[in-house]
Amino acid sequence: MHDKPRLLRITTASISLKLLLKGQFTFFQQQGFEVLTVSAEGPEVKELMSEGVQHQIVPMTRMITPIQDAICLWQLIRVIRTFKPHIVHTHTPKAGLLGMMAAWVCRVPVRLHTVAGLPLMEATGLKRAVLKWTERITYASAHQVYPNSRGLLEFMVKEFHLANSRVQGNKGTLPNNESSAMEKIKYKIIGKGSSNGIDIRHFSPTPELLEAAKRIRKQYQVPDDAVVFSFVGRVVKDKGIVELVEAFRKLVASAEARLILVGPYEQELDPLPHDVIHYIQNDPQVIAAGFQRDVRPWLLASEVFVFPSYREGFPNVVMQATCLQLPSIVSDINGCNEIIEDQVSGLIVPSKNAKALYDAMQLMTQHKPLRTSYAIKAQEFVRTNFDQQFVWHELLKEYKSLIATPATNE
């Protein structure tokens, strides 16, 4: 017999457990839950297990692999039947599809899925149709669906015709019919957005971090008067790297600047043009740092954070940069434009627009007082609204409510 409520959290890749959910598993164990995590194999698995988290390997991939996916679906069903969770909560598209289907087959009492980004936003043709179809299956299999930003919720309402469904955002109820108004909300945002909030204490400048940042600048021979721009994330087309490189190449023709890129390539999934990769890897004004377990000193080695992504849910890295008191230039997409207020706490530019990005970078290069003002205001906003403890306790309230009144197992 199990006395504790059992919680199963599933992501496709192990790195997502760390990037999206770090700290939550320990928190929920402290709140009396028995927690099991599932993902594909990866270096983060040992890290999770060292913190006392139970983990199961299911070899999911982010690509469309029907045979492999069928195998993983069966493995997830076996995991659920063995663990017998009260709650299955999935993140990332593939884990959402397979995890919610498996949980539906096993009639898990509470089935939850968080949407933190939709690849179909940038997909076209048959691929878009397939991705949209899989999202519909995921949502239909879940009792509750949590987009992690207001903009993402609004996109889902339009794309999936949810206007007559049970929908609520963080600024009130979106259009729905009166007959569903008294029903349990199915599509809503936890707290004010974000999957995990921000660990304010961890992402605070310290003397040790500032010293590490100085060493990075010295290692790469960055001139004292250079304005350094940083980017953290996958170095792929969807993150706006092509436009960022184009804007930076134009900027350095007339200004002393450097660009730090922190993150891995994914040429098999979202390739960059060869000329862009060649420039990143060979130009001395670009610091291609690759994947880094601790991004803080790399961010602090810069004066401005740039994030020209095409699509996001609620980007953690923008919150991380603001907590480290960096001013930000972000694209005008959901999540980013919910963290940064244009010309108040940073600059917002249209996505896929290298000219607008260049203008914003040039402005930041020329006006240090503006950078300081933006950084202070952005840090204050994020610390006030997205503290990790607030997000975790809002999710805990949701779990307790759903366990107390589970949905009918349709």
Side-chain angles (χ1 to χ4, degrees), residues 12 40 58-65 68-69 72 94-95 98:
T12 307
V58 173
M60 292 175 282
T61 71
R62 293 172 59 202
M63 295 178 283
I64 298 173
T65 52
Q68 179 71 10
D69 294 345
C72 291
K94 180 65 74 68
L98 301 181

Side-chain angles (χ1 to χ4, degrees), residues 138-179:
T138 301
Y139 304 166
S141 302
H143 292 125
Q144 304 282 135
V145 179
Y146 306 119
N148 71 349
S149 73
R150 186 179 68 254
L152 191 54
L153 175 59
E154 291 170 353
F155 175 86
M156 289 166 58
V157 167
K158 294 176 183 177
E159 187 70 22
F160 297 102
H161 307 293
L162 304 179
N164 292 323
S165 298
R166 295 161 287 161
V167 180
Q168 187 181 59
N170 61 350
K171 286 193 174 181
T173 304
L174 294 171
N176 57 351
N177 59 33
E178 293 183 4
S179 64

Side-chain angles (χ1 to χ4, degrees), residues 133-308:
W133 176 70
T134 59
E135 286 294 312
R136 287 187 180 280
I137 294 174
T138 301
Y139 304 166
S141 302
H143 292 125
Q144 304 282 135
V145 179
Y146 306 119
N148 71 349
S149 73
R150 186 179 68 254
L152 191 54
L153 175 59
E154 291 170 353
F155 175 86
M156 289 166 58
V157 167
K158 294 176 183 177
E159 187 70 22
F160 297 102
H161 307 293
L162 304 179
N164 292 323
S165 298
R166 295 161 287 161
V167 180
Q168 187 181 59
N170 61 350
K171 286 193 174 181
T173 304
L174 294 171
N176 57 351
N177 59 33
E178 293 183 4
S179 64
S180 66
M182 300 303 292
E183 298 178 41
K184 186 178 291 184
I185 302 301
K186 179 164 183 173
Y187 301 90
K188 66 178 181 180
I189 296 168
I190 297 294
K192 296 185 178 182
S194 174
S195 297
N196 201 34
I198 182 75
D199 186 341
I200 291 171
R201 288 175 296 179
H202 185 70
F203 286 96
S204 294
T206 64
E208 293 78 13
L209 288 173
L210 292 170
E211 187 59 36
K214 287 181 181 179
R215 289 196 297 269
I216 290 171
R217 291 180 71 109
K218 183 177 181 181
Q219 176 186 348
Y220 290 96
Q221 300 178 343
V222 177
D224 290 341
D225 61 341
V227 175
V228 180
F229 294 85
S230 60
F231 165 89
V232 176
R234 293 177 294 115
V235 183
V236 297
K237 188 176 179 181
D238 272 8
K239 293 294 183 182
I241 297 300
V242 173
E243 291 80 8
L244 177 55
V245 166
E246 182 180 341
F248 180 73
R249 292 181 76 164
K250 185 177 180 181
L251 181 71
V252 294
S254 59
E256 187 68 78
R258 296 291 186 273
L259 176 62
I260 296 175
L261 298 175
V262 179
Y265 297 106
E266 286 189 352
Q267 286 297 95
E268 71 285 358
L269 290 174
D270 190 8
L272 290 171
H274 292 298
D275 63 316
V276 173
I277 293 179
H278 183 270
Y279 178 78
I280 290 171
Q281 294 179 340
N282 292 281
D283 193 281
Q285 293 165 309
V286 178
I287 301 169
F291 174 77
Q292 298 290 329
R293 290 195 173 277
D294 189 353
V295 302
R296 294 174 299 170
W298 296 91
L299 287 167
L300 287 170
S302 69
E303 278 76 32
V304 182
F305 180 67
V306 189
F307 198 67

Side-chain angles (χ1 to χ4, degrees), residues 229 304-307 327-332 336-337 340-350 356-365 370-371 374 378:
F229 294 85
V304 182
F305 180 67
V306 189
F307 198 67
S328 295
I329 302 170
V330 300
S331 48
D332 191 9
C336 289
N337 56 21
I340 301 299
E341 184 177 356
D342 189 34
Q343 300 181 57
V344 174
S345 59
L347 295 176
I348 298 177
V349 300
L357 184 57
Y358 162 75
D359 290 342
M361 293 172 73
Q362 185 182 50
L363 181 63
M364 287 289 205
T365 302
L370 194 64
R371 299 200 304 261
Y374 287 165

